Amino acid sequence: MEEEAPAVTRTVPNILITGTPGVGKTTLAKLLCESVSGLRFVPVGQLINDHKLYTKWNEEFDCPEYDEDMVVDFLENEMGTGGCVVDFHTSGFFPERWFDIVVLLRTNNTTLYDRLKERGYAEKKITENIECEILEVTSEEVYTSYKPELIMELQSDLPEQVESNLNQIIERLVEWKQKRQAE
């Protein structure tokens, strides 16, 4: 965690939606952007691929080994304007000052397995991701990288939870805006 963050002057918050692959980050992030004006979807994984923000390709897992500095440099200006809904499976390398709300999505392992299998993930990649969820790798990263008051941990097992999660985030957005107006 950063010691002293500069004063935030954003009028629209930045939101990080993170969690193990397959928990529903992209679905929730896109719905949030469609539901709230002034928010824009920032799919970090896609940006890494599209803009080659990596130094080498991991053949074993068939994915890029992204360069954290390249990703941060690429996003820095956009994040300063506010209104970004960042979707990525890891979060510890992002500057804490970027985010006003951090959403950690979780799902049970059976559901996660089914979702990753449906995506066509190799068995080794599925196992790796389920182990990350069991060992709470993403959760630990979030709780050691961001202040507790920024974090919302939401369960994402069932389709009906998507709407509930969306409403909880929108409620937090309203609270954030009210607090900013009172300052």
Side-chain angles (χ1 to χ4, degrees), residues 16 31 36 59 137 164 168:
L16 171 63
L31 280 171
V36 179
E59 297 294 334
V137 172
S164 172
Q168 288 179 68

Side-chain angles (χ1 to χ4, degrees), residues 3-174:
E3 291 297 318
E4 296 270 335
V8 177
T9 58
R10 292 186 286 273
T11 58
V12 182
N14 285 328
I15 301 166
L16 171 63
I17 300 182
T18 191
T20 305
V23 296
K25 298 177 300 294
T26 302
T27 299
L28 186 59
K30 286 180 176 179
L31 280 171
L32 182 60
C33 291
E34 291 169 8
S35 301
V36 179
S37 64
L39 296 180
R40 62 194 175 284
F41 180 55
V42 181
V44 175
Q46 181 181 330
L47 293 174
I48 288 169
N49 287 320
D50 293 351
H51 298 279
K52 304 215 180 328
L53 304 176
Y54 57 89
T55 52
K56 63 182 181 176
W57 193 264
N58 184 319
E59 297 294 334
E60 183 180 8
F61 289 103
D62 192 32
C63 64
E65 292 184 8
Y66 62 92
D67 182 295
E68 294 175 355
D69 291 331
M70 290 172 75
V71 173
V72 169
D73 290 347
F74 184 84
L75 293 173
E76 184 71 50
N77 289 335
E78 185 170 7
M79 296 304 295
T81 62
C84 294
V85 177
V86 174
D87 164 9
F88 201 46
H89 65 275
T90 189
S91 62
F93 71 95
F94 293 127
E96 182 184 23
R97 64 183 157 74
W98 278 6
F99 300 108
D100 305 292
I101 300 169
V102 176
V103 178
L104 171 62
L105 286 182
R106 306 294 303 270
T107 194
N108 74 59
N109 297 324
T110 302
T111 302
L112 184 59
Y113 180 89
D114 293 343
R115 289 176 184 173
L116 296 177
K117 190 78 170 165
E118 189 175 300
R119 288 183 180 184
Y121 277 32
E123 199 63 39
K124 183 171 181 132
K125 196 169 183 178
I126 292 173
T127 300
E128 170 95 4
N129 284 300
I130 289 179
E131 286 175 358
C132 284
E133 188 68 9
I134 290 169
L135 297 173
E136 299 187 336
V137 172
T138 306
S139 177
E140 182 178 329
E141 183 178 43
V142 165
Y143 283 100
T144 58
S145 299
Y146 301 97
K147 295 176 184 166
E149 62 268 20
L150 299 180
I151 302 168
M152 300 178 70
E153 185 169 334
L154 303 173
Q155 199 64 27
S156 180
D157 299 321
L158 306 167
E160 54 268 22
Q161 288 174 310
V162 174
E163 185 175 349
S164 172
N165 290 342
L166 177 65
N167 290 334
Q168 288 179 68
I169 297 168
I170 291 172
E171 188 175 303
R172 178 73 70 92
L173 276 167
V174 169

